[in-house]
Amino acid sequence: MTKTKLFALAIVTWLMGTFTVYAQPKVYLTREISPQSLVRIYKTLGVPATGRVAVKISTGEGTNPNYLKPTLIKDLVHEVNGTIVECCTAYGGDRMNVNDHWNVVHQHGFDSLFAVDIMDEYDEIRIPVKDRTHLKYDIVGGHLANYDFMVCLNHFKGHPSGGYGGALKNLSIGCASSNGKAYIHSAAKMSKLDRSKLWTREYTGDQDGFLESMAAAAQAVVDYFQSEQGIIYISVMNNMTIDCDCVAHPAPVKLKDYGILASTDPVALDQACVDIINNQKVTAENDPTDLINRINKKHGTHTIDWAEKIGLGTKQYKLVELK
């Protein structure tokens, strides 16, 4: 959703309740995964990136081969005159501190093609959340304030904590500082990172609380950019395993590359990607079983359900395939 292109919105009051009805957003699909297709699907959305443009991706762990490659995304980043943005992690790994993260950025070749900004390199800021079920605020990289528009460029795949990783995770965990990641993962039990406690059952036992916190944090980032120039969402379904790009040694890829999807609604986009996985047929070359089981085990679609509940978007969509 953007300031200039919102879904048709109707507020209907019925007895004691008030609810929101959304027109079905479009989710565009191209089965071709190429630099040219990324630019084409961006232009099809009809929402031009303006002002200072952040392109939010995951730079991936140093030994993970599945991240979105600079050679794939280069035409899109240059088209929008964007800066690659990221934040440090909240777990021990190649991107835990700023110096190591910059080494990964260089190792993976991002800084040879683009301007890159680790948004929590120097500071962090708090931005408002609408849904205060768990979070009182969202803690994001301080440099988020330097941008007017965001291209939320996602690699769709599994995730060991969230079940899957897509637009909602890239908005929430992805834009959060290390402290912000701890805050979300712990469903607000921890507002300052303490790695000796963060991954203990005391802080990670409430899985649905974590997923609901992700949805709330995602909404906070969306609201921030809607108050500026705007935000759009593009997801690439390639190199898909049950593990995220944040896993140093991911499980093998068992799914064929599928395509690129894009929307102005992050909820619809994530739902469309999950629907595609659920509708895949098992063959010798293409087996979605492990990824489906990972999503179900971690209750991953609860993030989508909660995001819809709090008004971030809708799970109902119209899929439009580009020919």
Side-chain angles (χ1 to χ4, degrees), residues 1-7 22 222-223 225-226 230-233 263-266 311-313:
M1 294 184 293
T2 68
K3 289 175 65 177
T4 55
K5 283 202 170 184
L6 293 173
F7 310 127
Y22 291 95
V222 171
D223 287 347
F225 281 102
Q226 284 181 347
I231 184 168
I232 57 173
Y233 316 93
S263 183
T264 55
D265 183 324
L312 179 51

Side-chain angles (χ1 to χ4, degrees), residues 19-309:
F19 59 92
T20 304
V21 177
Y22 291 95
Q24 257 188 11
K26 292 178 180 178
V27 175
Y28 295 97
L29 164 68
T30 174
R31 296 299 301 273
E32 177 183 301
I33 300 176
S34 69
Q36 296 76 24
S37 291
L38 270 172
V39 173
R40 182 188 180 204
I41 206 166
Y42 154 70
K43 290 183 175 180
T44 300
L45 285 174
V47 183
T50 56
R52 299 165 297 180
V53 179
V55 180
K56 177 63 188 72
I57 64 162
S58 169
T59 49
E61 286 296 291
T63 54
N64 188 307
N66 298 325
Y67 61 94
L68 296 180
K69 304 300 188 293
T71 51
L72 173 63
I73 69 173
K74 63 180 178 67
D75 289 1
L76 174 62
V77 179
H78 292 154
E79 175 72 25
V80 301
N81 193 26
T83 297
I84 297 294
V85 300
E86 254 279 47
C87 285
C88 291
T89 63
Y91 57 85
D94 295 334
R95 297 173 297 151
M96 180 177 66
N97 62 59
V98 172
N99 287 338
D100 289 345
H101 199 159
W102 275 116
N103 288 338
V104 172
V105 167
H106 183 69
Q107 176 186 338
H108 286 174
F110 289 103
D111 57 345
S112 67
L113 292 175
F114 318 117
V116 179
D117 183 3
I118 298 177
M119 293 192 292
D120 62 340
E121 181 170 9
Y122 300 110
D123 59 2
E124 62 190 22
I125 57 174
R126 295 178 178 183
I127 60 175
V129 294
K130 285 181 180 174
D131 173 34
R132 296 169 66 90
T133 304
H134 306 284
L135 307 183
K136 296 179 180 178
Y137 41 76
D138 186 25
I139 312 172
V140 299
H143 295 179
L144 189 79
N146 294 338
Y147 299 97
D148 308 305
F149 191 101
M150 176 172 280
V151 178
C152 185
L153 181 55
N154 324 294
H155 177 211
F156 187 87
K157 67 285 180 190
H159 192 276
S161 297
Y164 82 94
L168 296 175
K169 177 180 176 293
N170 199 17
L171 288 165
S172 56
I173 293 293
C175 291
S177 66
S178 293
N179 288 328
K181 288 175 171 66
Y183 191 54
I184 295 167
H185 268 283
S186 67
K189 293 177 184 176
M190 180 184 293
S191 60
K192 186 171 179 60
L193 178 61
D194 183 344
R195 292 186 180 89
S196 69
K197 294 181 178 179
L198 177 58
W199 308 110
T200 62
R201 183 173 295 276
E202 177 187 2
Y203 288 94
T204 61
D206 185 2
Q207 177 68 4
D208 280 1
F210 158 52
L211 301 176
E212 291 161 9
S213 296
M214 278 208 296
Q219 186 178 45
V221 174
V222 171
D223 287 347
Y224 171 83
F225 281 102
Q226 284 181 347
S227 71
E228 298 292 331
Q229 301 289 350
I231 184 168
I232 57 173
Y233 316 93
I234 302 173
S235 291
V236 182
M237 299 184 75
N238 71 344
N239 299 322
M240 292 177 286
T241 82
I242 64 170
D243 290 320
C244 180
D245 300 345
C246 63
V247 175
H249 302 288
V253 173
K254 294 184 179 180
L255 281 158
K256 289 183 177 179
D257 292 351
Y258 191 85
I260 303 171
L261 292 86
S263 183
T264 55
D265 183 324
V267 179
L269 180 58
D270 275 10
Q271 185 64 56
C273 291
V274 170
D275 288 344
I276 286 169
I277 296 300
N278 286 335
N279 290 323
Q280 293 285 295
K281 294 182 179 179
V282 177
T283 68
E285 297 81 24
N286 188 71
D287 189 351
T289 305
D290 289 349
L291 182 49
I292 291 171
N293 289 341
R294 170 60 64 83
I295 294 171
N296 291 339
K297 181 179 179 180
K298 294 297 181 179
H299 206 188
T301 56
H302 184 62
T303 311
I304 302 173
D305 295 339
W306 195 263
E308 182 182 56
K309 178 180 178 179

